[in-house]
Amino acid sequence: MCQAEGDVVVDCLRRLRASGCVPNIYIVTPFVVVQDRLRELLRRDGVLESWVDDPYSWVRERIGTVHTVQGREAEAVIFVLGAPEAAQRGARGWAGGRPNLLNVAVTRAKEAVYVVGNRALWKQAGVFQSLDRLL
């Protein structure tokens, strides 16, 4: 995850909060490093303060890799792709070569899916071509 992706996630959460949405949200990514950075960012930022009962628990339970949210559902999913640099082709290829990752990520949402990432790079990564066409 780069800072720009983190900023988009924080902005999305602020907008959802301002609109009166309850925080029934999962933030999902293919990569553990992105999961960890998002958890740290949201704990530091304070966007969750007075919106959720326990921000520390919320980030542990609601931010995870695609594998950790399998079998769960939320009203909304923020899917953070990560691997935003051109040189990270291998990481995008790994994630895009597994249709199940994309399928699990987007089907966790009952109402809305938000996708955060470098679209120009990800639309060339295997199954993410389909996601690009649908967006």
Side-chain angles (χ1 to χ4, degrees), residues 12-28:
C12 185
L13 290 173
R14 287 191 192 289
R15 290 171 184 256
L16 290 169
R17 181 179 180 171
S19 72
C21 290
V22 297
N24 185 6
I25 302 162
Y26 279 118
I27 302 173
V28 182

